[in-house]
Amino acid sequence: MKRRSESDYAEWDELRARVIGLGENSAQKSYYPELVEQMAEQERFRALLDEVPDLILVVSVTDGSVADANDAAARVLGVPKGDLAGRDIHEVLPEALLRSIDPLLAGEGMRLVAESTLGTPAIAYEISARHVDFGGGHYVVVIGRDITERKRTAKLLEDHRRQLEFEVERRTAALSETVIHLREAADVRNRFLAKMSHELRTPLNSIIGFSGVMLQGHAGDMTEEAIRQLSMINDSGKHLLTLINEVLNYSRIEQGSIEVDCESFNGGDVVRRAVHMLEHEAKRRGLVLTERICDECPVIYSDPGKVTQVLTNLIENGLKYSSAGGVTVHADPDDRGGIVVKVIDTGQGIAASDIDIIWHEFRQLPRPEGALSEGIGLGLAISARLAEAIGAELTVESQVGVGSTFTFRVPNLEEGCLLPGRRPAGPEAQ
Amino acid sequence: MVTRSVQEMRKFVAPEFVFGVDARGLAGRYTANFGAKKVLVVSDPGVCEAGWTDAVMASLADAGIETTLYTDVTPNPRSHEAMRGAEEYRAHGCQAVVAVGGGSPMDCAKGICVVVSNGGDILVYEGVDRIPIPMPPLVCVPTTAGTAADVSQFCIITDEHRDVKIALVSKALVPDVALIDAETLVTMPADLTAATGLDALVHAVEAFSSNASWEITDLCALRAIEGVFRWLEPCMDDPLSIESRTGMALASLEAGLAFSNASLGATHAMAHALGGKLDLPHGECNALLLEHVLNFNLPVFSAGRRVQLARAMGIAIDSATDVEPQAISERLHLFRHGIGVVDSLSSLGVTRADLPLLAETAMGDACMVTNPRRPQQEDIEAIYEAAF
C-alpha cells in the first residue's frame, strides 16, 4: 500500500483550488464567447450587405414594415441610415412600384421583376422582389439595381444598329445602281462586239473567198511569189475570222443566250470526231495527237455541238501550250451513264497559284519560250460556260514542267430530263 | 487540517432558483425566455408515473415549446444513457434541456448537455474543471429533497465499463434555473424520503467539514443541518404535509449551495466508490459512513466549529466551549436509526475482501481533496471497517 507524502498532498491542494472554482474554465459559465462569434459574424454580414451597390430592403409580410435595409437603400431613398427599419414600406417606395409589390406582400405570386425610377434626381432601377422565409417570419426581399449604364449602352447599341442599317440600305442602293450601269455597259459592249464582228466578217469572207479562188487558179496564172503572198493573205484572213468568231461566241454567251439543243448520240463518236478535226493542226505544229476511246462508249443524251466545241477548245489549247510531245485524249464511260474525257498535254504545266486565272476571260498564261501569242484568252472561259450549260463538269490538274490534264465529265441527261439546277414552273413544282 | 488563508480568493456560484409551491409551472416561461423552441425533457419512469413530468410538459406546451421526452434513465445513471440522450437531443433539433426528477435524471441531463456542446464521450470530461464549453440552457425541476443537483456544480455518472462512478466537477455544470416546488415531494415513498433527506444532511455536514468551507458556505451548511433535524422526521410521519416538505426542500437547497461551493469530503469519496462497485443507493451509503468519517475528522476541527456543528444538530450544550466528538457521531447514529436507516455495509452485501480496493478508489476521488483531515489509504480502510 502506497503511503502519501506531503508532495502527493500538494496535488490535492492544486485540485482543491479548482474545486472551489478558481480553475481556468470556471470563468466560462456564460454564452459570451459564442455571442462574440455571432456578433462578429453579424458584423461581417452587415459589412457585406452595406458594401453592395444594389439597394436591398427586407419587408415583413405581416405588417409591411421594413425589417432591414442596407446603406444603398437608405442613400437612394433619402432616409438617414438606420431610420429605414421599422418604417412602413408604403412611406418609402413610389406608388407605381408599390402597385407591383403589394400583391406579393399579400401572398399573390412568389417573385416579380419590374422597372422603376427612384431617388432625386430620378435614376432608373431594375427591381426584383421575392418571398423569403427565415427565423419563423415571412418576408419579401426587394433588390434594386441601377440600370442607367445598362440603358445607356442599350441605347448606344440601338443607335449604332440603326446607323448600320441605314448605311447598308444606302450602299445597297448605290450598288444596285452600279449593277444597272454595268449591265447597260456590258450590253452596249456585247452589242458593239456582235455588230462589229458581223460587220468585220462580211469583208473578211470576201478576202478569204476571193484569195481562195485566186489560189485555185481561177483568176489566171500567178508567179510563185504571188501565190506565196496570196497564201499569207488567205491564212491571215482565216485566223482573223477564227478570232472574230470567238469574240462573237463569247458575246452571245455573255448575253445569256446559250441555247442547248439535246439529242441522243454515241459519246465515243463525238470525241473521235473532235480529235480528227484537229489532227491536221497537230501535224502542222509537229506534235502528236493520240486517242484512246472506249470500245463500247455509251449513247448519251446531251448537246453534241457544245460537247464538240468544248473538246476542240481543250485539244487546241493543249496543242497551243505544248512545244514538244503532244496531246492524248482518253474517253471512258462514267458510273452514271455519262462519259469522262481527259485531255492530257505535255505542256509547261500551270502553277498552283495560277490555276484559277485560266478560267477568266481575256487572261492567258505566258506561252512556252519563243512561242508567239495566239488567241485572245477566251477559250477556257467559253468552255466553262458551255460545260455549265449542259450540266457537265470541267476540272484541271496540273504539274509544272510535266503538263496538264483537263477532265470533262459529260452527264447523260436522259431524254426529257431537265438540266440540273434549272427548275421550271411546271407541274412538279409545288 | 488545512489552514485557510484570510487572503484566499473565494467565490460562490448559484443558479437562479425559484422556491415555492407551483414553481414547476414556470418551466414553460423560463424555457421560452432562453429562446428555445424545442427541448429535450429528461425524466425517469417513476417520476412520470407520479405525474410531475406531464405537469412540466404541459407548462412547456402552453409556452408553445415542442418537447421530446427521454426517460431511459436508471438510478446511478450510466454513461451510455447520457450519450443516447445527447443523440435524441441532436436528432430532434433541441435547443435546451428540462430535467424533471431526482439526482439520476438531473445528472443524466447534465451529462447530455456536456456532450451536446462539447462533443465526444461523456467519460472524457471526468475530473475537475475539465469542461471547456458551457452547456445549452438547463432547467431543473427537482422532485426529491437531497441531491441538490439542481443547484450544484457536480455531476455523477457511472462508467459501466469500469464499474466506477465518475465525478464531473465544473462551474459549467451549474444549471441555469432551478424550479424548487415542495409539492412535487409529496409523492416520494418513505425510503426515498429518508435516503434523500439523509443525503442532504451528509452534504451539509461535509460542506461544513470541508477544508474549502468559508463563511457563506458555513451559513448555508449549518442552516441545512438544522433544517434536516427539524423536518425530516415530520416528513416521514406525514408525507403530505407541505410545511414539512417545504422545510426539507429548503434544507436540501441550502445544503446544495454549501457543498457546491465548499465541496465535500471522505464520506462522498467513499460512497462513490461503493456506488460504482456495487451499485448501492447513494443516500444510504452516505448515511452509513458519515458518523465514522466524523470520528476520523472531528479531532482536527477547532473547538468552536465542533460546538457550532453540535448546536446545529440540536445537541443540548450548556455554555460549553467544546463538545466530545463522540456526542456528535452518536447523535447522527441515533438520528438515522430514528428514521429507519439501520443497515451496515455488510448487510448491503459488501465483503471484507472489497475493502482495500474500495479504499484505493476512494483515495482517487475528487471529493477526497477537501476532506479536512488528509487520510492515508489505511485510514479509509479502517473507516470502511468501522461501518462494516
Side-chain angles (χ1 to χ4, degrees), chain B residues 130-328:
Chain B
R130 301 280 306 275
I131 299 168
I133 303 172
M135 309 186 296
L138 171 62
V139 176
C140 288
V141 183
T143 61
T144 64
T147 135
D150 49 311
V151 294
S152 82
Q153 58 155 335
F154 286 72
C155 168
I156 309 295
I157 297 283
T158 299
D159 177 353
E160 62 270 38
H161 313 292
R162 289 188 295 149
D163 282 337
V164 289
K165 276 187 156 186
I166 61 153
L168 286 71
V169 185
S170 167
K171 299 297 166 195
L173 289 166
V174 178
D176 295 273
V177 179
L179 302 174
I180 305 162
D181 184 347
E183 203 165 53
T184 64
L185 305 178
V186 300
T187 50
M188 270 198 291
D191 58 341
L192 189 58
T193 302
T196 53
L198 289 175
D199 195 22
L201 179 62
V202 178
H203 286 156
V205 174
E206 288 232 291
F208 183 75
S209 310
S210 165
N211 64 25
S213 65
W214 60 298
E215 285 71 5
I216 303 294
T217 58
D218 285 352
L219 208 63
C220 294
L222 292 171
R223 282 266 314 157
I225 293 164
E226 276 176 37
V228 175
F229 276 91
R230 166 80 184 80
W231 294 111
L232 186 52
E233 277 175 357
C235 282
M236 304 295 292
D237 297 340
D238 180 6
L240 299 179
S241 161
I242 296 297
E243 188 192 12
S244 310
R245 293 292 192 184
T246 300
M248 273 312 294
L250 189 58
S252 168
L253 169 63
E254 289 161 339
L257 294 172
F259 89 78
S260 180
N261 288 283
S263 193
L264 298 157
T267 312
H268 269 81
M270 294 170 71
H272 288 157
L274 279 170
K277 183 80 190 147
L278 303 160
D279 199 19
L280 299 176
H282 174 68
E284 197 163 352
C285 292
N286 271 336
L288 296 183
L289 290 166
L290 180 62
E291 62 210 54
H292 305 289
V293 170
L294 275 179
N295 282 334
F296 176 74
N297 282 339
L298 280 172
V300 302
F301 277 41
S302 68
R305 284 183 78 75
R306 275 194 292 267
V307 170
Q308 276 184 300
L309 183 58
R311 286 215 166 105
M313 289 178 167
I315 297 171
I317 305 166
D318 310 319
S319 64
T321 52
D322 200 356
V323 62
E324 278 298 307
Q326 200 63 26
I328 293 171

Side-chain angles (χ1 to χ4, degrees), chain A residues 270-346:
Chain A
V270 170
V271 178
R272 208 169 281 115
R273 243 193 328 271
V275 170
H276 183 67
M277 278 162 68
L278 287 155
E279 266 165 357
H280 178 73
E281 176 63 16
K283 208 172 284 167
R284 194 181 66 80
R285 289 174 184 265
L287 299 170
V288 184
L289 175 58
T290 51
E291 39 138 292
R292 200 209 65 205
I293 294 167
C294 40
D295 290 337
E296 290 177 8
C297 283
V299 171
I300 58 173
Y301 186 76
S302 186
D303 182 335
K306 302 283 182 295
V307 174
T308 306
Q309 204 174 339
V310 172
L311 281 175
T312 51
N313 272 349
L314 293 177
I315 297 167
E316 241 179 339
N317 240 23
L319 293 171
K320 265 195 256 173
Y321 283 87
S322 298
S323 49
V327 173
T328 309
V329 178
H330 291 176
D332 292 293
D334 74 6
D335 51 5
R336 282 170 297 183
I339 189 164
V340 183
V341 187
K342 286 181 190 290
V343 178
I344 306 155
D345 68 44
T346 53

Side-chain angles (χ1 to χ4, degrees), chain B residues 106-129:
Chain B
M106 287 196 282
D107 277 350
C108 189
K110 286 182 177 183
I112 290 168
C113 289
V114 168
V115 173
V116 160
S117 57
N118 289 270
D121 194 288
I122 183 63
L123 299 173
V124 170
Y125 303 100
E126 175 182 2
V128 180
D129 199 29

Side-chain angles (χ1 to χ4, degrees), chain A residues 5 29 46 52 71 97 129 131 148 288 290 337 418 426:
Chain A
S5 62
K29 177 61 201 177
R46 191 75 240 172
V52 172
D71 278 2
L97 180 56
H131 269 279
T148 314
V288 184
T290 51
L418 287 154

Side-chain angles (χ1 to χ4, degrees), chain A residues 72-250:
Chain A
R75 204 167 49 240
V76 172
L77 299 171
V79 178
K81 191 181 169 180
D83 276 11
L84 260 178
R87 286 213 189 179
D88 191 322
I89 192 70
H90 297 90
E91 298 169 15
V92 172
L93 293 181
E95 229 180 286
L97 180 56
L98 283 166
R99 273 197 292 278
S100 305
I101 291 177
D102 273 340
L104 213 59
L105 283 169
E108 296 161 24
M110 284 307 287
R111 56 199 309 152
L112 75 88
V113 177
E115 267 189 33
S116 175
T117 54
L118 297 174
T120 330
I123 288 171
Y125 276 85
E126 183 190 77
I127 307 289
S128 60
R130 66 187 196 93
H131 269 279
V132 175
D133 291 348
F134 57 85
H138 307 295
Y139 301 90
V140 168
V141 174
V142 181
I143 297 174
R145 174 162 294 183
D146 182 344
I147 50 169
T148 314
E149 188 61 23
R150 195 204 292 175
K151 289 199 128 182
R152 203 177 63 83
T153 311
K155 189 176 176 306
L156 276 178
L157 272 175
E158 178 60 21
D159 288 352
H160 191 63
R161 193 186 62 79
R162 287 223 184 98
Q163 180 66 32
L164 270 179
E165 234 169 48
F166 172 75
E167 194 65 18
V168 166
E169 264 171 35
R170 201 177 62 80
R171 293 274 177 93
T172 308
L175 275 175
S176 304
E177 212 168 295
T178 308
V179 166
I180 291 167
H181 287 155
L182 282 174
R183 281 212 183 112
E184 280 171 6
D187 281 352
V188 168
R189 184 195 65 177
N190 289 333
R191 279 200 304 275
F192 169 76
L193 283 175
K195 195 162 177 65
M196 279 308 291
S197 302
H198 183 73
E199 291 300 320
L200 286 171
R201 268 204 305 189
T202 313
L204 202 50
N205 279 331
S206 297
I207 293 169
I208 294 166
F210 286 117
S211 59
V213 168
M214 284 172 80
L215 280 171
Q216 283 166 8
H218 295 301
D221 294 338
M222 283 184 295
T223 62
E224 217 165 281
E225 179 59 20
I227 291 169
R228 195 183 61 82
Q229 290 188 10
L230 198 56
S231 292
M232 282 166 70
I233 290 170
N234 188 264
D235 284 351
S236 297
K238 280 178 181 163
H239 180 63
L240 195 53
L241 184 62
T242 312
L243 294 184
I244 288 166
N245 281 340
E246 209 171 293
V247 170
L248 198 58
N249 229 336
Y250 179 70

Side-chain angles (χ1 to χ4, degrees), chain B residues 10-28:
Chain B
R10 294 311 312 267
K11 87 179 196 182
F12 190 91
V13 178
E16 177 174 355
F17 50 79
V18 181
F19 187 91
V21 170
D22 288 341
R24 63 181 185 275
L26 297 178

